[in-house]
Amino acid sequence: MVLPVPETSHPPDVPVDRDVTRPAPPVRPLGLARIWRLIGDPAPGRVGYALRMAAGCTTTVLVGEIWQVPDLGVPALVTMALWQKDRVTNALAGVAVNIVVVLLLLLIYGLIQLTLDHPMELVIVIAILSFGFFFLGSASKLKPVAYLFGLITVFGLVMIDQVPVGEVITRAILYTDLFLAVPGAVMIVLGLLICPSPRRLLTDDIAARLRMACRLLRGADDRTREQATDMLRTGTTDMMKSAKMASLEKIWAARDLACLRQSASSSVAVLALADEAGRTGIPAEDAAHLLETLEKMAAIFTDGDYPAAIERPAVSPASPAASALADMLPDFATPPPEGAAPGLKEKKSGFFADDAFSNPEHVRFAVKGTAGVMLSYLAFMVLDWPGIHTCIITCFIVALPTMGEMVSKLTLRISGALVGGAIGIGSIIFVMPHLDGITGFLVLIFGVSLLAAWVKTGDERIAYAGFQIGLAFYLSDLKGFGPTSDMETARDRIIGIMLGNFITYAMFTSFWPTSARDRIGEGLRKLAETLQRQSQALTPQARAEAIASTQSTLLESERTLEYVMAEPINTRVDLPRLQETKQALDDAGRLSEDLLVNPDRTDLTDHTARLERLAG
């Protein structure tokens, strides 16, 4: 589709050598104000994602009630943990879960024969399994789900002692099957019905970036700029995943998907150039011409299509940022020709990380996670308090590799657990007594699931709080079948969650504490390399792909710096160095945008040398 925008000749290259170095804001941990803004951030697609996730969790509860699955909170948590944005990824995750459940059943069946009526053997098996799953979570591609599988397997073995011996094998096999099979089936069937196509997600994400670019060109406040920066830093990771999933559907033309992949990279470049233009200023007439084209393009992507041809907007050659943005648009959806130089492609990796068996950090992480599980199991057994078995579940959920991540997310975990527990107890007191049927009960489940899903589908820095809300609520209110009035269960399970949080935090910060500062150097060196590659990109397609890579690398380094600042004061490097690192990252973000306008920046070497020096 051709956009009727007047065509002008391309302006000559205008060298612009502005100093992007500006004072950086004070470096500090993620503050409460920022967390609150992230919670309320109306990110594109977030409402739909949260609604579908809540519907999936509620459907799992409904199926569990029909089949009378005990401890229904676990299947509901599995659904919340694995639910995906698009129908293809959801279906693949559901199929994978149903395949894995067969393997877990065989494993549990064999372990039952070994550990039944042998407490010492059970302790040894739990320790070995915990170590194995924590190691896989640290050193393999199973990281997103290894902890979940460990939770299900260990929890199933622990609960064996709570049922009569004559029924133990049948119950263990049946209930472990249902713990994973029900969420898997719901994800496949319901996901295919209510989740959008990955192609639709891709076009919506591209449209969202174009609309954000329009907001920046119109003049944006600090809140809008913050949202634009968050969107910019995500790069193309999620969009390329959607493109990959769309290719698996086999219903879209390969050429169309190639054009959409290029559009995804170009949308990041356009957003970066709009941010640059907003900071440096462009003439109102140029902004009007660019807005007209960008809005028409966004409308096309919103309809699920892409523009086949885009005429270059008429902008003044005296405005470098406007000219660079206009130059990007004609090739916005045009993939590089076959045989062109390959772009920035990641090296393919195997199942295990390259340093899986050489880096002692993976083993140490597994040892600390196992120690947390065993201490929780010991407390559970010594206190003879069955209701706090949630401390074992919590250890698998909250383990994180560095102290900074542990500390920065501890507040989110505790807050989420308190909110979910308060809702659970409040609903038992004020809501459950008035529920006569399953309908009202499911409405309650959906409402709380929606709250938890809304937080979980936000920025990754607050997602833990959403999952903890669901964890505390489900494990408090989903004990038997239908509405419950058992306050003791809710109390015990919340105590178990808090105990698990405390034990895990103590283990990971006391033994072999891993500081996030150890990862700063690697990120800064990688950032210097991406800036160099960005300056060497020759075509619009290559420039778009390069800046997307730079922005993703920037995000990693910025998050690492946040984690460093969250660590105990005696583990931090000196604050002046952190301040300088923060300023260098801010300057690198502005420099990456400016390289789209002037790739021949004479001070690029100085900036990359600065990053290398800070990396040590």
Side-chain angles (χ1 to χ4, degrees), residues 297-352:
M297 291 169 60
I300 294 173
F301 282 108
T302 300
D303 291 337
D305 204 348
Y306 64 90
I310 307 169
E311 295 182 1
R312 185 183 185 278
V315 297
S316 170
S319 175
S323 296
L325 206 164
D327 289 340
M328 182 67 64
L329 297 183
D331 295 311
F332 187 91
T334 305
E338 295 184 8
L344 302 173
K345 294 185 179 179
E346 295 183 358
K347 176 184 175 182
K348 290 186 178 180
S349 58
F351 177 76
F352 286 102

Side-chain angles (χ1 to χ4, degrees), residues 165-177:
V165 174
E167 303 175 8
V168 67
I169 295 179
T170 301
R171 287 195 177 191
I173 293 176
L174 174 62
Y175 294 148
T176 304
D177 182 17

Side-chain angles (χ1 to χ4, degrees), residues 312-581:
R312 185 183 185 278
V315 297
S316 170
S319 175
S323 296
L325 206 164
D327 289 340
M328 182 67 64
L329 297 183
D331 295 311
F332 187 91
T334 305
E338 295 184 8
L344 302 173
K345 294 185 179 179
E346 295 183 358
K347 176 184 175 182
K348 290 186 178 180
S349 58
F351 177 76
F352 286 102
D354 294 338
D355 63 349
F357 302 103
S358 60
N359 187 348
E361 289 300 323
H362 299 304
V363 174
R364 292 172 181 173
F365 178 81
V367 169
K368 290 184 286 187
T370 302
V373 171
M374 299 313 296
L375 280 177
S376 297
Y377 179 68
L378 180 63
F380 168 70
M381 297 300 294
V382 170
L383 296 176
D384 192 22
W385 195 351
I388 64 169
H389 66 263
T390 49
C391 62
I392 301 173
I393 295 175
T394 304
C395 290
F396 283 100
I397 294 174
V398 303
L400 288 168
T402 67
M403 284 191 300
E405 290 171 276
M406 292 288 297
V407 175
S408 65
K409 294 183 179 179
L410 181 64
T411 302
L412 296 177
R413 294 190 194 114
I414 294 176
S415 301
L418 291 176
V419 170
I423 294 175
I425 293 176
S427 64
I428 292 174
I429 297 175
F430 300 108
V431 180
M432 297 292 191
H434 304 288
L435 300 180
D436 296 327
I438 190 66
T439 302
F441 179 63
L442 292 178
V443 170
L444 172 65
I445 297 297
F446 178 82
V448 181
S449 297
L450 181 59
L451 171 63
W454 172 260
V455 180
K456 185 178 181 297
T457 55
D459 189 276
E460 66 178 26
R461 288 171 287 185
I462 63 169
Y464 263 76
F467 191 74
Q468 287 289 326
I469 292 173
L471 174 71
F473 175 75
Y474 292 147
L475 296 183
S476 299
D477 285 33
L478 297 177
K479 175 187 178 184
F481 311 115
T484 181
S485 59
D486 189 352
M487 290 283 294
E488 183 178 338
T489 297
R491 179 205 65 193
D492 292 350
R493 294 188 173 184
I494 293 172
I495 291 175
I497 293 171
M498 302 304 290
L499 178 62
N501 272 307
F502 172 77
I503 290 175
T504 305
Y505 173 77
M507 292 305 304
F508 278 77
T509 56
S510 300
F511 300 95
W512 296 309
T514 302
S515 174
R517 70 185 181 193
D518 298 334
R519 302 186 176 187
I520 289 181
E522 179 184 355
L524 293 179
R525 283 187 288 270
K526 184 178 178 182
L527 179 58
E529 293 174 2
T530 58
L531 286 171
Q532 288 284 5
R533 289 199 295 265
Q534 186 181 335
S535 68
Q536 297 165 4
L538 300 178
T539 65
Q541 295 92 336
R543 294 191 190 100
E545 189 175 356
I547 191 172
S549 177
T550 300
Q551 292 295 322
S552 296
T553 306
L554 259 173
L555 176 63
E556 295 175 9
S557 295
E558 289 174 345
R559 295 288 167 84
T560 301
L561 188 59
E562 287 180 1
Y563 295 145
V564 172
M565 290 307 301
E567 292 178 352
I569 188 66
N570 62 323
T571 67
R572 297 181 194 167
V573 292
D574 59 294
L575 287 178
R577 188 179 182 86
L578 287 177
Q579 181 70 41
E580 187 179 1
T581 301

Side-chain angles (χ1 to χ4, degrees), residues 34 45 47 58 91 113 120 128 150 179 208 225 297 299 373 528 538 603:
R34 175 70 164 132
V47 173
T58 306
Q113 305 302 317
M120 183 55 65
I128 293 174
F179 280 166
R225 289 193 175 281
M297 291 169 60
V373 171
L538 300 178
D603 60 345

